[in-house]
Amino acid sequence: MSPPPPAAHCHHCAHHHQLHVNGLSVAYQKTEALSDISFSTSCGNTVALIGPNGAGKSTLLKAIAGLVPRRSGSIQWRGAKVSQWHREFAYLPQREDVDWSFPVTVRGLVEMGRYSQLGWWRRWRPIDQSQVSQALASMHLEGLEHRQISELSGGQQQRAFIARALAQEAHVLMLDEPFNGLDRPARENLSALLRQQAAAGRLVIASHHDLNTVGELFDEVLLLNRRPIAFGPVAEVFTEKNLALAYA
Amino acid sequence: MPDILSYPFFQRALLGALIIGFTNGCFSAYVVLKRSALVAGSLSHALLPGIAGGILVAGALTPWSAFLGALIAALLVVLGSLAVARSSRLDQGTSLAVIFTIAFAAGLIMLKYVPVQVKLEDYLFGDILNISTTDLWVTFGIAVVTLGSITALQRPILLTLFEPSVAAAQGVPVRALNYLIMTLLVLVMISSLQAVGCILALGLVVAPGATVFLLTNSTRAMVWGGGLLGALGAAGGMGIAHWGDFRPGAVITVLLGAAFLLAFFFGPRSGFFRRAS
């Protein structure tokens, strides 16, 4: 099978690429972490995954990104199997999962995003350099480039990982609890940046646990508790009945 | 020029120490980043029974019998500890400690039956002054393979060390790279056997990386800085050992230890005193 063509320019995305998750189930050893999850969305949206602890929010993100194997079901992006498009997907780990002592600077981290374009051996080109600089600038990280990644605030750390995703030219950003531990200004700042990315044609999917802020931060929400409860615009999904079902 | 440098045996020893120190130093960056120092410690003990077993099976001490024996013993120790940890309530650290000690003790007993005249001390603490031209070539070969691999594969290795699951999702063959790193670890430790012996091999393949890790925010600087430090430690150790008639392996290790303590206490970034003040 020939590899898929490179991504269309996200910045002028008129394609409305579709993400279809159909009957997805994931199991760790014998315990089922997710069963029969289905939803569809398209680029330009910000989608929240909401549910109680252990509902499988992280697992769903990891399954879409290909980090954990699925037991059954299918995930399609742009009409083809998601595994063909791994370059277009960027997974941003939860803060606890990052080795913050790793000897890498902000710029070094963002440069890693270019590796999927460059492969193992291709030489660093001027375009790679400018993509990295652009990504840093759009996440307002100029001046912090030479800091080690632990020497940043929580919001700056999230922005550094988003910048890496932009350098990768990812079309789908998947963030695991990006607002965790951020104070209000940092949360609003990050939210504005994520909305900008959606407006530029990217698809943003994030797990989130604070019910009070879902409406201001996201367009659509998937409410789940190991199985899907409801999916749609925030106002439609957040009914008392649905929330009771999810958090019962 | 000091007289000693004009002796061919000392020239060979110095060259060997430089190559070994540099290769181990570079590789130690990965051992530290992979948090594999404990595994490296048990591998270093597995070298003894491995090489002894290799000699017994092959009937002679050749680079190949030494390498294959050490590799098999290392695999047995690591995989054995994994199997024990998974099928019992013991953690891997505990099962590693039990298994590598037993393996080491078995190696000591096997030495009695080894038909080659070797002094036990040379296995344990190294004998760099008697390095032969063949040994030197083997050392050089290991250096080329190791440095070539980590240079050619620096991007996927970096991704694997930083975020293994993300790397795997991006199509990086994480498992194969982990096996490669383990194989290279066994290789560089075999090469350092000659210089510092299997007990002190751990110092060469951990201390330089650990030291530079305290000083830098760049992985590349950690690799090449570790190499530089390893080479300096090895050469300096040879000089001091000759001057004071000490065992070279011990002096090399102590020198690297001194560098580590300096970085720990006085490092400009995260030094102990810098943080305390």
Side-chain angles (χ1 to χ4, degrees), chain A residues 160-231:
Chain A
F161 273 88
I162 298 173
R164 181 176 71 165
L166 300 183
Q168 184 194 321
E169 297 176 51
H171 209 108
V172 184
L173 309 185
M174 286 176 303
L175 306 94
D176 207 345
E177 293 286 353
F179 296 102
N180 225 357
L182 300 191
D183 59 13
R184 194 181 177 84
R187 193 171 68 217
E188 283 169 358
N189 176 269
L190 181 61
S191 158
L193 288 169
L194 287 177
R195 281 191 185 279
Q196 266 176 32
Q197 294 309 318
R202 294 197 171 82
L203 170 59
V204 177
I205 307 179
S207 60
H208 190 59
H209 68 275
D210 181 6
L211 294 179
N212 298 315
T213 53
V214 180
E216 55 175 288
L217 301 176
F218 297 95
D219 307 322
E220 291 183 314
V221 56
L222 172 67
L223 193 60
L224 75 162
N225 192 353
R226 288 171 188 260
R227 49 188 63 252
I229 309 287
F231 176 74

Side-chain angles (χ1 to χ4, degrees), chain A residues 69-81:
Chain A
R70 50 181 192 268
R71 170 180 276 184
S72 58
S74 69
I75 306 170
Q76 292 213 315
W77 169 247
R78 300 175 63 172
K81 272 193 262 172

Side-chain angles (χ1 to χ4, degrees), chain A residues 1-5 79-85:
Chain A
M1 194 179 295
S2 62
K81 272 193 262 172
V82 74
S83 52
Q84 287 186 47
W85 298 105

Side-chain angles (χ1 to χ4, degrees), chain A:
Chain A
M1 194 179 295
S2 62
H9 284 287
C10 318
H11 321 283
H12 318 287
C13 184
H15 303 286
H16 287 284
H17 297 318
Q18 303 274 325
L19 177 72
H20 294 294
V21 176
N22 209 333
L24 174 72
S25 296
V26 177
Y28 293 115
Q29 266 104 44
K30 281 178 183 164
T31 35
E32 188 136 90
L34 283 176
S35 65
D36 206 21
I37 302 283
S38 300
F39 70 96
S40 295
T41 185
S42 59
C43 54
N45 283 324
T46 56
V47 183
L49 308 179
I50 300 280
N53 282 336
K57 306 185 290 278
S58 294
T59 303
L60 178 52
L61 284 174
K62 288 179 181 165
I64 296 173
L67 272 67
V68 299
R70 50 181 192 268
R71 170 180 276 184
S72 58
S74 69
I75 306 170
Q76 292 213 315
W77 169 247
R78 300 175 63 172
K81 272 193 262 172
V82 74
S83 52
Q84 287 186 47
W85 298 105
H86 59 72
R87 236 192 247 180
E88 295 202 357
F89 283 73
Y91 170 81
L92 286 72
Q94 219 165 340
R95 5 177 357 96
E96 296 80 54
D97 293 345
V98 175
D99 178 3
W100 294 106
S101 70
F102 201 88
V104 64
T105 59
V106 174
R107 190 170 189 101
L109 177 74
V110 178
E111 283 176 353
M112 281 187 209
R114 295 305 296 167
Y115 291 178
S116 58
Q117 304 283 337
L118 281 166
W120 292 7
W121 295 301
R122 202 169 317 140
R123 287 179 70 92
W124 202 250
R125 304 158 296 180
I127 174 124
D128 301 303
Q129 211 58 39
S130 72
Q131 289 277 4
V132 168
S133 301
Q134 261 180 39
L136 285 164
S138 65
M139 286 296 123
H140 309 309
L141 291 166
E142 301 112 320
L144 302 174
E145 304 171 29
H146 301 297
R147 290 222 191 147
Q148 198 265 340
I149 51 174
S150 68
E151 300 166 351
L152 299 174
S153 70
Q156 290 164 346
Q157 287 172 338
Q158 284 296 341
R159 275 148 47 198
F161 273 88
I162 298 173
R164 181 176 71 165
L166 300 183
Q168 184 194 321
E169 297 176 51
H171 209 108
V172 184
L173 309 185
M174 286 176 303
L175 306 94
D176 207 345
E177 293 286 353
F179 296 102
N180 225 357
L182 300 191
D183 59 13
R184 194 181 177 84
R187 193 171 68 217
E188 283 169 358
N189 176 269
L190 181 61
S191 158
L193 288 169
L194 287 177
R195 281 191 185 279
Q196 266 176 32
Q197 294 309 318
R202 294 197 171 82
L203 170 59
V204 177
I205 307 179
S207 60
H208 190 59
H209 68 275
D210 181 6
L211 294 179
N212 298 315
T213 53
V214 180
E216 55 175 288
L217 301 176
F218 297 95
D219 307 322
E220 291 183 314
V221 56
L222 172 67
L223 193 60
L224 75 162
N225 192 353
R226 288 171 188 260
R227 49 188 63 252
I229 309 287
F231 176 74
V234 180
E236 286 174 27
V237 167
F238 269 27
T239 63
E240 256 177 57
K241 187 177 150 232
N242 282 340
L243 289 172
L245 271 172
Y247 287 84

Side-chain angles (χ1 to χ4, degrees), chain B residues 140-165:
Chain B
F140 181 71
I142 290 178
V144 169
V145 169
T146 306
L147 298 176
S149 308
I150 62 179
T151 306
L153 301 174
Q154 53 177 319
R155 286 179 193 162
I157 289 178
L158 182 64
L159 294 175
T160 300
L161 290 174
F162 184 51
E163 287 175 314
S165 54

Side-chain angles (χ1 to χ4, degrees), chain B residues 159-201:
Chain B
L159 294 175
T160 300
L161 290 174
F162 184 51
E163 287 175 314
S165 54
V166 173
Q170 292 287 328
V172 176
V174 170
R175 184 177 295 213
L177 285 173
N178 279 330
Y179 283 126
L180 176 73
I181 291 175
M182 278 298 146
T183 312
L184 292 176
L185 177 60
V186 174
L187 270 177
V188 296
M189 290 184 100
I190 288 173
S191 79
S192 65
L193 206 60
Q194 182 82 46
V196 296
C198 59
I199 302 288
L200 301 174

